[in-house]
């Protein structure tokens, strides 16, 4: 019988894989564009949903400042919560995605949230992260303890100093020693990682507490005031290279960001006023300090060289001086006054 006789050739009986591929392309809507939704709210930030692995949208989003949010399982812009939507970036990404054949919908809700809501949401997010890290630390510590017990069990029946003998018994002893050593090393690695994760939790708590201190809030107020002045200059066209005020999407973004900063400034100033009323902040100024005073800054006593409008210059013992903000002063000793007039620590 000639070769190939008795069964149809490739043109008569397509391979099963090619049949499946053809059926896939024949599905209704397969060739329709994938719909990607880019949204922005002050509660969730800027997110892009609707992508699939390997569809090519990730490269476009990455080029426009998006990154993969593993916890949310979608693309997003980092640090975009409670901030003005980056309209130019969002629209540029949407245009490039449409040019690549994707369907894109955008939705922007730029309504700022009040100060208390923002602070509460930040605390809840930090608590959630700390809880997840603490759980991981506990799992690592439990696994490390289990490996230590296994290592002890593997060599617990081997007499100390007993040499390995030839034969199956000796081979078993050697394997037990090797497995015990590997388990011990792995237990040490996991224990170290568990301690590192626990330290991350403690550091997160310390950072959150430091952000609530009056001196940190005062520095944040100064920074936000500078940002607000920059926004005002951009909206008015002052200091711009072409002398023209911001317009279009840029102007919309700056206007919303100005609202966000105004809300943050009002809340921070209210906190500073409460701290000042309690005597924990704002008692030292250029008017009640003079050269020669001893200032307690960061736990050390420093001699004041001169008070400045927003900072103090203190002696270092060398040819230069160090500068600190008034909010960093916790106590003052004035050699011109009686010891009973010494400033109280805040």
């Amino acid at each position: 019988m000639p070769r190939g006789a008795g069964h149809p050739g490739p043109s008569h009986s397509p391979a099963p894989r090619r049949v499946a591929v053809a059926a896939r392309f024949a599905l209704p809507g397969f060739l329709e564009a994938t719909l990607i939704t880019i949204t922005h709210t002050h509660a969730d930030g800027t997110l892009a949903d609707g992508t699939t692995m390997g569809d090519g949208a990730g490269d476009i989003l990455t080029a426009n400042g998006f990154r993969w949010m593993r916890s949310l399982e979608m693309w997003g812009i980092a640090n975009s919560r409670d901030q003005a939507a980056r309209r130019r970036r969002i629209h540029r990404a949407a245009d490039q995605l449409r040019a690549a054949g994707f369907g894109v919908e955008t939705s922007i809700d730029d309504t700022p949230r009040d100060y208390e809501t923002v602070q509460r949401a930040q605390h809840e997010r930090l608590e959630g992260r700390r809880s997840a890290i603490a759980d991981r630390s506990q799992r690592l510590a439990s696994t490390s303890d289990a490996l230590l017990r296994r290592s002890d069990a593997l060599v617990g029946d081997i007499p100390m100093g007993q040499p390995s003998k030839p034969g199956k018994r000796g081979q078993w002893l050697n394997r037990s020693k090797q497995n015990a050593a590997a388990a011990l090393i792995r237990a040490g690695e996991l224990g170290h990682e568990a301690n590192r994760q626990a330290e991350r939790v403690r550091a997160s708590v310390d950072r959150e507490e430091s952000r609530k201190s009056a001196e940190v809030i005062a520095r944040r107020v100064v920074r936000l005031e500078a940002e607000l002045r920059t926004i005002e200059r951009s909206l008015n066209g002052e200091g711009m290279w072409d002398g023209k005020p911001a317009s279009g999407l840029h102007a919309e973004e700056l206007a919303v960001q100005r609202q966000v900063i105004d809300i943050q400034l009002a809340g921070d100033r209210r906190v500073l006023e409460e701290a000042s009323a309690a005597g924990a902040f704002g008692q030292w100024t250029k008017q009640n300090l003079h050269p020669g005073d001893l200032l307690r800054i960061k736990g050390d006593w420093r001699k004041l060289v001169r008070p400045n409008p927003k900072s103090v210059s203190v002696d270092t013992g060398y040819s230069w001086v160090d500068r600190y903000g008034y909010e960093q002063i916790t106590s003052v000793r004035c050699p011109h006054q009686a010891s009973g007039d010494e400033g109280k620590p805040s």
Side-chain angles (χ1 to χ4, degrees):
M1 179 182 292
R3 184 177 181 181
H7 60 82
S11 60
H12 298 87
S13 178
R17 183 174 181 274
R18 280 183 288 177
V19 172
V21 172
R24 181 186 178 192
F25 277 90
L27 289 175
F30 178 79
L31 296 178
E32 294 180 2
T34 302
L35 180 61
I36 298 176
T37 304
I38 302 178
T39 61
H40 176 85
T41 62
H42 281 243
D44 299 326
T46 304
L47 300 173
D49 193 16
T51 64
T52 56
M53 182 178 295
D55 61 359
D59 296 335
I60 298 175
L61 292 171
T62 301
N64 287 279
F66 288 74
R67 68 179 180 86
W68 179 251
M69 306 290 185
R70 187 172 57 180
S71 60
L72 301 176
E73 295 186 350
M74 63 179 65
W75 293 88
I77 297 179
N79 302 320
S80 58
R81 287 191 181 99
D82 294 303
Q83 299 292 328
R86 296 174 174 86
R87 285 168 166 77
R88 292 174 294 175
R89 183 179 299 182
I90 292 173
H91 286 279
R92 183 170 62 249
D95 292 340
Q96 293 179 8
L97 287 170
R98 292 189 184 100
F102 296 94
V104 182
E105 291 183 356
T106 60
S107 174
I108 297 177
D109 181 5
D110 240 348
T111 305
R113 300 191 292 178
D114 60 88
Y115 182 82
E116 288 74 16
T117 301
V118 172
Q119 298 300 316
R120 183 169 58 253
Q122 289 178 353
H123 175 72
E124 291 174 354
R125 288 197 301 271
L126 288 174
E127 282 295 320
R129 293 172 186 171
R130 285 195 285 259
S131 177
I133 295 174
D135 291 343
R136 184 168 188 267
S137 176
Q138 292 177 358
R139 291 195 302 269
L140 290 172
S142 299
T143 305
S144 176
D145 293 340
L147 287 172
L148 284 175
R149 291 192 297 270
R150 172 173 171 76
S151 177
D152 293 339
L154 286 171
V155 295
D157 296 335
I158 301 177
M160 295 293 293
Q162 178 68 29
S164 299
K165 298 180 180 180
K168 293 184 178 180
R169 177 66 178 177
Q171 294 176 1
W172 177 83
L173 291 177
N174 287 333
R175 284 196 300 269
S176 296
K177 293 177 181 179
Q178 293 172 0
N179 293 337
L184 183 62
I185 293 173
R186 183 57 178 165
E189 294 173 349
L190 294 181
H192 176 74
E193 181 64 17
N195 293 334
R196 192 180 73 86
Q197 297 297 330
E199 183 60 31
R200 288 181 61 191
V201 175
R202 290 190 291 269
S204 176
V205 174
D206 293 341
R207 282 196 301 270
E208 186 179 13
E209 290 300 322
S210 68
R211 291 184 72 253
K212 298 178 182 178
S213 64
E215 62 181 45
V216 173
I217 293 176
R219 291 197 296 269
R220 184 164 64 238
V221 167
V222 173
R223 175 177 58 80
L224 291 176
E225 289 174 345
E227 291 182 8
L228 194 59
R229 291 192 296 270
T230 301
I231 291 176
E232 293 293 346
R233 288 195 297 268
S234 298
L235 290 173
N236 298 330
E238 301 174 2
M240 305 300 291
W241 66 274
D242 56 358
K244 297 180 180 179
S247 60
L249 296 176
H250 188 202
E252 295 178 11
E253 181 177 337
L254 291 177
V256 176
Q257 189 63 22
R258 179 173 56 185
Q259 297 178 20
V260 172
I261 293 178
D262 286 338
I263 294 174
Q264 180 74 32
L265 277 175
D268 286 344
R269 286 168 177 163
R270 186 166 59 250
V271 173
L272 290 180
E273 290 174 359
E274 295 174 356
S276 180
F281 174 78
Q283 64 268 44
W284 310 117
T285 63
K286 183 179 180 180
Q287 284 68 34
N288 55 19
L289 294 177
H290 49 273
D293 289 349
L294 295 178
L295 312 181
R296 189 171 180 83
I297 300 175
K298 295 184 177 181
D300 296 326
W301 289 99
R302 311 292 295 274
K303 185 178 180 180
L304 177 63
V305 176
R306 61 179 176 274
N308 307 308
K310 294 185 178 181
S311 63
V312 291
S313 299
V314 297
D315 184 36
T316 61
Y318 300 96
S319 59
W320 61 86
V321 296
D322 289 339
R323 287 188 178 182
Y324 297 95
Y326 285 100
E327 71 278 358
Q328 296 178 274
I329 302 173
T330 57
S331 183
V332 174
R333 288 178 180 173
C334 183
H336 304 86
Q337 299 178 358
S339 59
D341 295 334
E342 177 186 332
K344 296 181 180 180
S346 59

